[in-house]
Amino acid sequence: MPEGNQHRCAARFERFGVDCAEHGSPFYGQLSKLVATDEDLLRIAAHASREPIPNVFFGAVHYLLLKGKEHELREFYSTTTGAQPRDDDALFDVFSNFCSLYRDELIGLVSTRLVQTNEVNRCAILAPAFSVVYEAGHRRPLSLVEIGSSAGLNLLWDRYRISYSDGSFLGDPTSTVQIECENRGASLSMDGCPGPVIADRVGIDLHPIDLHDLSERLWLRALVWPDQRRRAFRLDAAIALALQDLPVVIRGDVLTVLPDILRGIPDPSTLCVYHSSVLYQFSPEEREQLASILARASMDRPVMQVSAESEEGLRLLVYRNGTRVEERSLGSFDTHGRWLCWGR
């Protein structure tokens, strides 16, 4: 690996280690710092076709373990040991040995797989924003279009029970998918009131996850950090629910297929395009293209855009008559949906 590429890859793992520590995964926090210092492991990770490299690399290791690879490393993962996982200084040596032993399989995975986490708890961030869109659209049913929808699990947000620390909740109170979120901001004041009516829902993804395919379901599961079991339980419950009535997810580049999808959504519903933790993979030019597509679509009807991107917060953008006419901040949030600071 060229020295410059190695330094960039190492920096990504160092940054990921900090993020993991902040988001409740000391296991990956520890491993990330160690991988950042190991040239052989960085060479494997550098085969990743797209960002974020650490997520793809750790997901590939986890995937092989979940598939049943027999190795001492299983003892350190809470998802592959029936007892309390090991926590000792041997972790990195064992991890390195596993990666050396299964090097070719890991390279094959990181070079072909993408990060498609479908973090179900993000629905707690999106749901209040959809309520704002619903009101702004004079309570007409919503037609939802999700960019980067993976398996489409977040398109089904209204079928989950979403509870907030201020006592509010949205969705189905009897749902088997239970989502909890701390609200650190203004009161949501929903008190279990009926949420938006959904007229249509469609997702777009470069490589949609087929939930009928066991290996693809396992990849989704492998992307959940192994020391965060509650996230894994929610994902499993959401998959089971989705398999009863799968949402439509279109395969393709959003900048190519989105215009036709928008034209095909009937009036008089309120059209809402949304995305969460997706735009970091877009170049500045691609972001401008997306804005242009939404602006052009608004020549025929208003278009609402809900943007949940960590660097910009939760925002509502409104397009009318070919122009962006409003941009409103709705709050800040944790990228895994653990907390929402509504209205701030």
Side-chain angles (χ1 to χ4, degrees), residues 28 58-71 73-82 98 102 105-106 109 214-229 232-233 235-236 239:
Y28 273 176
F58 285 131
V61 173
H62 196 191
Y63 178 82
L64 292 181
L65 289 172
L66 291 174
K67 282 195 73 174
K69 296 294 185 185
E70 290 297 334
H71 192 273
L73 185 61
R74 299 178 65 85
E75 300 172 10
F76 290 87
Y77 280 66
S78 62
T79 50
T80 54
T81 179
F98 179 91
Y102 295 105
E105 289 182 70
L106 289 173
L109 286 168
L214 179 59
S215 67
E216 295 200 18
R217 290 206 307 269
L218 198 64
W219 177 248
L220 266 188
R221 182 67 179 76
L223 289 169
V224 177
W225 301 348
D227 51 350
Q228 296 191 336
R229 288 194 171 190
F233 293 152
L235 175 64
D236 291 342
I239 289 173

Side-chain angles (χ1 to χ4, degrees), residues 64-323:
L64 292 181
L65 289 172
L66 291 174
K67 282 195 73 174
K69 296 294 185 185
E70 290 297 334
H71 192 273
E72 186 181 356
L73 185 61
R74 299 178 65 85
E75 300 172 10
F76 290 87
Y77 280 66
S78 62
T79 50
T80 54
T81 179
Q84 184 71 17
R86 280 176 59 182
D87 180 15
D88 58 56
D89 293 340
L91 169 61
F92 190 61
D93 288 339
V94 175
F95 183 86
S96 298
N97 178 265
F98 179 91
C99 292
S100 177
L101 187 62
Y102 295 105
R103 178 186 181 87
D104 291 344
E105 289 182 70
L106 289 173
I107 289 175
L109 286 168
V110 301
S111 61
T112 56
R113 292 286 189 171
L114 301 176
V115 173
Q116 298 169 288
T117 54
N118 252 158
E119 176 48 68
V120 179
N121 232 56
R122 286 190 190 133
C123 291
I125 309 305
L126 296 165
F130 293 147
S131 293
V132 172
V133 171
Y134 186 56
E135 295 298 329
H138 306 291
R139 291 180 167 262
R140 288 188 297 269
L142 298 185
S143 289
L144 298 174
V145 180
E146 183 181 24
I147 297 171
S149 55
S150 186
L153 298 180
N154 290 350
L155 281 163
L156 305 178
W157 65 273
D158 57 317
R159 300 178 190 173
Y160 311 148
R161 178 186 170 99
I162 307 172
S163 304
Y164 299 89
S165 58
D166 63 3
S168 301
F169 72 85
L170 280 173
D172 179 359
T174 66
S175 178
T176 54
V177 181
Q178 301 283 316
I179 293 173
E180 298 178 353
C181 179
E182 176 189 359
N183 179 20
R184 298 179 178 179
S187 174
L188 293 167
S189 302
M190 291 179 291
D191 300 322
C193 62
V197 176
I198 310 301
D200 199 5
R201 59 187 105 213
V202 59
I204 306 169
D205 201 279
L206 280 172
H207 300 281
I209 293 288
D210 179 3
L211 291 179
H212 290 299
D213 186 321
L214 179 59
S215 67
E216 295 200 18
R217 290 206 307 269
L218 198 64
W219 177 248
L220 266 188
R221 182 67 179 76
L223 289 169
V224 177
W225 301 348
D227 51 350
Q228 296 191 336
R229 288 194 171 190
R230 294 183 67 183
R231 287 180 63 199
F233 293 152
R234 280 193 299 268
L235 175 64
D236 291 342
I239 289 173
L241 188 62
L243 284 170
Q244 300 174 21
D245 184 17
L246 287 174
V248 173
V249 180
I250 304 297
R251 179 184 296 271
D253 183 332
V254 62
L255 301 177
T256 301
V257 303
L258 181 58
D260 285 341
I261 290 174
L262 297 181
R263 281 192 292 268
I265 293 177
D267 269 333
S269 63
T270 296
L271 182 54
C272 179
V273 177
Y274 74 96
H275 46 86
S276 59
S277 296
V278 168
L279 292 192
Y280 73 90
Q281 298 192 49
F282 282 43
S283 68
E285 293 76 19
E286 289 170 331
R287 291 187 182 219
E288 289 181 10
Q289 281 183 264
L290 175 61
S292 296
I293 290 170
L294 299 181
R296 285 196 297 272
S298 75
M299 294 294 294
D300 300 320
R301 65 196 292 191
V303 178
M304 311 283 187
Q305 179 186 5
V306 170
S307 175
E309 303 293 334
S310 58
E311 71 274 15
E312 300 164 346
L314 182 63
R315 298 182 300 151
L316 171 63
L317 300 90
V318 181
Y319 296 82
R320 289 193 183 94
N321 300 317
T323 305

